[in-house]
DNA sequence: CCCCTTATGTCAACGCCATTGACGTTGATG
DNA sequence: CATCAACGTCAATGGCGTTGACATAAGGGG
């Protein structure tokens, strides 16, 4: 038997499914994204995807080498969302901040997909283009290559790390998420100063802050540190 | 049929398995931890756990309501590991660095549990004690309350975020993880300078660096930024 | 238009997963 | 000793991702 998956660029045949649908690589990715949004990570299986496509599940293996390959395609799709419409201003710090928040935001728009994909390295076009851009900003700002790569590494992994953390929170069942959010008020804010002087002294600040994402703060601190290295 | 799982405090019976082993809640948790360490997340299945225990896999359901319940029990076991043996030196920056790396390391020792639990807010004693300690270090260093809470928020969430990101990588099936690791060499390092000048110029550095965790770098940058705020 | 070829979609099956129902029996208790 | 419930086993359930084989739709060439 020949290779099951045909190279996407040389794909020519168009055969409808039993229900009349013409499958494409793009349609499968978009359908998978929709299923992740509607049913969560556990809702994306080959069989359910097949049903949603009006096809047999195994048809998906004509387009992707496996479900993992599909997940990588989804990851690249999200990366494309993050970069869409972005334009450089020439202010390296502002540009990196904007990019970081965009990447974080794109993943947060699809929490279930983020949880599955933010840790992956795809080498696909959108990811490669994004990485080329970030490295370009850092090198253009005057960072030597060693520093540029080190900062790029911390920057991109930090944005992806917070994307997963915050996405995991959003992906929780509603009851679990609300219970977690109440902990700061119900548990922490009630701790006595005698046993927990630091928490007691800062409780109103904790209640006000801890249920929001810490990513903007962490990002600004990372950029401040990079900026200090450039000045020094 | 009555409830399958008996409350642990009221458990009295001791019946040996076919191989003579007496099962306990603790034995199952410890065996599962060992299997996670030795075989990775994909290596912990009910069947394999049963084999390792010298029991039928379904016996595990006498002790845990499901594999997820077991994973959370494992995480509970872990939580104490991160703080165990830690002692303050009085150097706020060194102490925070040590704590950050310990938290990260404890989760990385059990990626599957980390992926499931690092985003949760439990208000449990060990978590509370850890937060009290970190806030104490920051306030003790001279940060005003508003800054202490802001930095604490970025610090703790960043450590948890990187824990999930890196744990998710470790939790991948071996083939997927190795494929991801090869992407820097197989894809990125081969991009031509004509189209990707920045990646091409830094490729050897990327190959050398990107498969390791960026957490130590991000942590140091966060601490540098905090330090600069204290000085300024 | 017809014919050939092959890529595409379908179907059935494989080997694995977590889990449950039912049964036999061990051992605590009275 | 007798009773009985908890414990461990076994077989089955319902699902998972994936593959081999087959039928056929459709592209390409004559």
């Amino acid at each position: 038997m020949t290779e099951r998956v045909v190279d996407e660029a040389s794909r020519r045949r168009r055969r409808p499914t039993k229900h009349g649908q013409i499958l494409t690589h793009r349609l499968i990715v978009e359908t998978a994204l929709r299923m992740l949004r509607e049913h969560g990570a556990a809702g994306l299986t080959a069989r359910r995807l097949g049903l949603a496509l009006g096809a047999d599940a195994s048809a998906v293996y004509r387009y992707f080498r496996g479900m993992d390959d599909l997940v990588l395609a989804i990851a690249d799709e999200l990366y494309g969302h993050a970069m869409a419409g972005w334009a450089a201003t020439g202010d390296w710090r502002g540009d990196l901040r904007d990019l970081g928040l965009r990447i974080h935001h794109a993943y947060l728009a699809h929490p279930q997909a983020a949880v599955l994909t933010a840790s992956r390295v795809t080498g696909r076009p959108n990811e490669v283009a994004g990485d080329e851009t970030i490295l370009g900003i850092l090198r253009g700002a005057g960072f030597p290559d060693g520093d540029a790569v080190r900062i790029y590494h911390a920057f991109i992994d930090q944005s992806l790390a917070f994307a997963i953390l915050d996405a995991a929170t959003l992906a929780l069942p509603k009851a679990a998420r609300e219970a977690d959010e109440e902990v700061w008020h119900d548990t922490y804010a009630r701790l006595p100063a005698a046993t927990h002087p630091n928490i007691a002294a800062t409780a109103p600040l904790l209640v006000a802050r801890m249920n929001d994402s810490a990513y903007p703060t962490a990002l600004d601190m990372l950029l401040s540190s990079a900026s200090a290295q450039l000045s020094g």
Side-chain angles (χ1 to χ4, degrees), chain A:
Chain A
M1 187 178 113
T2 61
E3 174 68 43
R4 197 169 196 133
V5 180
V6 168
D7 174 62
E8 198 57 37
S10 55
R11 195 183 294 278
R12 294 177 303 177
R13 306 296 302 281
R14 295 292 179 266
R15 173 182 179 168
T17 67
K18 208 184 317 189
H19 299 281
Q21 185 77 274
I22 305 288
L23 296 183
T24 64
H25 188 276
R26 175 153 211 94
L27 175 65
I28 295 169
V29 171
E30 288 174 349
T31 305
L33 255 182
R34 203 179 71 236
M35 293 186 68
L36 282 169
R37 198 181 311 125
E38 291 174 6
H39 306 295
L44 178 61
T45 67
R47 287 186 175 98
R48 293 166 64 116
L49 180 57
L51 284 175
L53 289 165
D56 188 82
S58 55
V60 171
Y61 297 93
R62 295 284 180 191
Y63 296 82
F64 301 94
R65 286 191 193 81
M67 292 303 289
D68 189 63
D69 201 25
L70 174 59
V71 166
L72 292 177
I74 293 167
D76 200 49
E77 182 76 13
L78 290 183
Y79 224 99
H81 289 179
M83 302 300 292
W86 181 85
T89 69
D91 165 24
W92 73 267
R93 188 166 168 172
D95 284 347
L96 282 189
R97 190 172 197 277
D98 191 24
L99 276 173
L101 292 174
R102 276 171 167 265
I103 290 167
H104 185 251
H105 184 257
Y107 278 106
L108 267 278
H110 301 278
Q112 304 297 344
V115 168
L116 284 176
T117 67
S119 64
R120 302 308 298 274
V121 184
T122 68
R124 293 183 186 217
N126 288 327
E127 180 189 276
V128 170
D131 294 347
E132 174 68 16
T133 297
I134 296 164
L135 280 167
I137 291 171
L138 288 166
R139 292 175 84 230
F143 290 97
D145 283 1
D147 286 348
V149 167
R150 184 172 51 82
I151 292 162
Y152 152 75
H153 189 202
F155 172 84
I156 194 65
D157 275 13
Q158 185 193 55
S159 69
L160 296 172
F162 273 99
I164 301 194
L165 180 74
D166 296 334
T169 298
L170 287 179
L172 286 173
K174 186 171 158 67
R177 190 170 73 245
E178 289 178 345
D180 277 16
E181 287 173 356
E182 288 304 317
V183 171
W184 296 106
H185 182 263
D186 291 349
T187 303
Y188 278 89
R190 294 179 181 174
L191 293 170
T195 56
H196 296 83
N198 298 297
I199 289 173
T202 56
L205 298 171
L206 294 172
V207 171
R209 179 168 204 109
M210 296 300 290
N211 285 324
D212 297 332
S213 173
Y215 179 55
T217 302
L219 175 59
D220 286 339
M221 290 177 84
L222 182 144
L223 292 176
S224 292
S225 178
S227 186
Q229 286 165 53
L230 196 50
S231 309

